[in-house]
Amino acid sequence: MTSTAPPTIPEGRKAQPDHLGHVIFITAAAAMGGFLFGYDSSVINGAVEAIRGRYEVGSAGLAQVIAIALIGCAIGAATAGRIADRIGRIRVMQIAAALFTISAVGSALPFALWDLAMWRVLGGIAIGMASVIGPAYIAEVAPPAYRGRLGSFQQAAIVIGIAVSQLVNWGILNLADGDQRGKLAGLEAWQWMLGVMVVPALLYGLLSFAIPESPRFLISVGKTDKAKEVLAEVEGRGVDLDHRVAEIKDAMRREHKSSFKDLLGGKAGFLPIVWVGIGLSVFQQLVGINVAFYYSSTLWQSVGINPSSSFFYSFTTSIINIIGTVIAMIFVDKIGRRPLALIGSAGMAVSLALEAWAFASKTGDTLPTAQGTVALIAAHSFVLFFALSWGVVVWVFLGEMFPNKIRAAALGVAACAQWIANWAITASFPSLSDWNLSGTYVIYTVFALLSIPFVLKFVKETKGKALEEMG
């Protein structure tokens, strides 16, 4: 190590910001992209059956329209890191906000099914960019002592976005007398559901002008004085700013701009740490969590629950999602990331197995009363265990676990893998559920069980470590 290497207890880890409230505001503003991520991802839940009816499309075709946004997500996630390294984190947020706004308007006013799909791809690109830039930016501006909790803001914003979208959908449905295609001011109810996202998209864009650029990016482009101002702002003026800058510069001297090539190594293709990140991302999706947010209204209607009640259950599931996320935010820095992941995996496996058992009793479009009750309780339990574990810790891990020299590129690849897995689950669910709804949930149960040995064998704890220590 050179003389500027970090001490045994890095200065940044001991930092206490002078104005924690301001640091929280900065984090919350950045996490607004997560809110849009959640909102845009789940708002389609309220429009699925209306789109099926308006365009007379079958389950397979409908699934492609719903899932096609995830292709955009993969593109946005794969490119956001490199773009952020070139033009800065804030500019990427502003680009994402613009894409969210355009997508919302286009999705609300489609001419045909093909252009609805096109607007969803555009919104997906924005989601993918937000999924990468949010945790990366928060990890770079948050004091290490608070990084786990502040990193959790991304997932908190996602789950709040999901809940708000379901509440808005339920409200619009009631205004339209329970008809997803009912007319409101000249547009069908589902069009209003998709179009309302313009409001948070514009707010995200405005907030991006009120927060500072990442100090690591500022140092990388030679704006050291500005970086010191931001470090003082977020870590406290009592910190030795020259030492913190030297610490970051030393880490940067031992790295270069991350690229896809940097992630390659050995017979396995990617470096082992990159595979771990990909594994975390993929397992997060293969348990079927997004079925609960993309298709829950359709799912409950398929077992005999009326549309208004199905929309309400989608909303209550979202509230449980928020409660679980709050639990994770409280404990992620206390008991660590790995223990939460293991608790969540076990709880999800039990909940999914109970859902599989309940759906095995489905006859036609109904469930027996006892099995219906079990299915509802297990569905909420599944979301709770996901939210208090994998929903939060994966984003925290991805923001922390990679060495500085590959962080942006590795995070982009891991997030891209997440969106591809999300697409596979989302695109396959309607056809799988037509084949065997119970069997579909058995598949998700198996993935929840497999995530346990994966975490035990491959995932290392990152609690309390400075970013410069990762490697």
Side-chain angles (χ1 to χ4, degrees):
M1 282 192 176
T2 66
S3 60
T4 55
T8 304
I9 301 176
E11 188 72 25
R13 193 189 304 177
K14 299 183 294 183
Q16 301 293 321
D18 298 321
H19 304 289
L20 183 58
H22 183 58
V23 176
I24 291 173
F25 168 77
I26 291 171
T27 304
M32 189 68 191
F35 178 92
L36 284 161
F37 169 175
Y39 195 102
D40 191 54
S41 295
S42 64
V43 70
I44 194 67
N45 190 5
V48 171
E49 292 305 310
I51 292 170
R52 187 200 298 270
R54 176 162 174 170
Y55 297 106
E56 298 180 350
V57 60
S59 292
L62 179 68
Q64 294 308 314
V65 174
I66 305 306
I68 197 169
L70 302 173
I71 301 299
C73 293
I75 294 169
T79 58
R82 295 190 68 181
I83 296 173
D85 283 343
R86 288 177 178 271
I87 66 174
R89 282 59 167 149
I90 300 300
R91 289 289 178 266
V92 172
M93 293 180 194
Q94 291 164 354
I95 292 170
L99 294 177
F100 274 124
T101 303
I102 295 168
S103 171
V105 174
S107 297
L109 303 170
F111 297 105
L113 193 62
W114 67 265
D115 78 301
L116 174 60
M118 180 185 72
W119 297 123
R120 286 188 51 72
V121 170
L122 194 65
I125 293 173
I127 294 174
M129 295 177 80
S131 75
V132 169
I133 204 59
Y137 174 86
I138 292 169
E140 291 180 350
V141 300
Y146 295 92
R147 198 174 59 235
R149 279 164 286 182
L150 294 176
S152 300
F153 273 46
Q154 173 78 359
Q155 182 64 17
I158 292 171
V159 299
I160 291 171
I162 291 170
V164 171
S165 73
Q166 300 310 306
L167 181 60
V168 169
N169 284 356
W170 184 60
I172 291 173
L173 184 73
N174 284 324
L175 289 174
D177 298 322
D179 183 0
Q180 290 166 265
R181 297 196 60 192
K183 291 285 187 175
L184 293 171
L187 298 178
E188 294 184 4
W190 68 272
Q191 293 176 276
W192 282 106
M193 294 176 188
L194 300 182
V196 166
M197 195 181 69
V198 167
V199 176
L202 290 174
L203 179 60
Y204 180 42
L206 291 173
L207 286 172
S208 70
F209 288 97
I211 58 178
E213 183 54 86
S214 159
R216 285 176 174 78
F217 173 75
L218 292 170
I219 290 172
S220 75
V221 295
K223 298 182 179 180
T224 303
D225 290 339
K226 181 62 177 175
K228 287 182 180 179
E229 291 178 17
V230 177
L231 286 168
E233 189 177 346
V234 300
E235 294 192 359
R237 297 194 177 275
V239 172
D240 184 342
L241 296 177
D242 288 330
H243 179 83
R244 285 293 290 129
V245 169
E247 182 179 280
I248 295 170
K249 283 184 175 180
D250 180 69
M252 291 171 63
R253 271 195 296 269
R254 292 182 277 111
E255 66 184 60
H256 55 279
K257 293 288 185 182
S258 59
S259 66
F260 185 80
K261 185 177 179 181
D262 297 321
L263 308 182
L264 304 178
K267 295 181 180 179
F270 289 123
L271 295 170
I273 191 67
V274 178
W275 280 116
V276 174
I278 290 171
L280 285 167
S281 291
V282 169
F283 272 117
Q284 189 196 52
Q285 297 303 314
L286 294 185
V287 296
I289 186 60
N290 279 307
V291 168
F293 300 121
Y294 297 156
Y295 295 114
S296 60
S297 294
T298 297
L299 173 64
W300 297 126
Q301 288 175 53
S302 75
V303 292
I305 294 174
N306 65 60
S308 182
S309 294
S310 71
F311 272 54
F312 179 72
Y313 290 139
S314 296
F315 174 63
T316 58
T317 301
S318 300
I319 297 301
I320 294 294
N321 198 15
I322 294 174
I323 292 170
T325 301
V326 171
I327 293 171
M329 292 175 71
I330 292 170
F331 288 106
V332 69
D333 280 329
K334 292 183 178 180
I335 68 173
R337 288 68 159 144
R338 286 178 85 243
L340 280 180
L342 293 169
I343 291 168
S345 293
M348 288 190 296
V350 172
S351 301
L352 288 165
L354 287 171
E355 286 193 81
W357 172 80
F359 289 136
S361 301
K362 178 184 176 184
T363 54
D365 290 336
T366 61
L367 280 180
T369 301
Q371 282 84 348
T373 301
V374 169
L376 279 171
I377 293 172
H380 285 73
S381 173
F382 165 59
V383 171
L384 177 65
F385 277 106
F386 176 86
L388 65 80
S389 60
W390 285 74
V392 167
V393 299
V394 169
W395 290 111
V396 176
F397 268 130
L398 293 181
E400 295 179 336
M401 65 186 289
F402 301 114
N404 280 340
K405 65 181 180 180
I406 65 168
R407 180 170 296 113
L411 210 164
V413 168
C416 181
Q418 184 175 117
W419 291 118
I420 293 171
N422 190 338
W423 172 82
I425 293 297
T426 304
S428 64
F429 177 75
S431 297
L432 283 174
S433 62
D434 285 348
W435 161 69
N436 190 317
L437 184 59
S438 177
T440 302
Y441 275 82
V442 169
I443 293 171
Y444 301 154
T445 303
V446 169
F447 284 120
L449 289 170
L450 289 174
S451 69
I452 296 174
F454 174 79
V455 171
L456 289 172
K457 184 173 179 61
F458 298 110
V459 180
K460 296 180 180 179
E461 184 61 75
T462 58
K463 172 188 170 184
K465 294 182 179 180
L467 292 182
E468 286 70 32
E469 295 179 82
M470 301 301 175

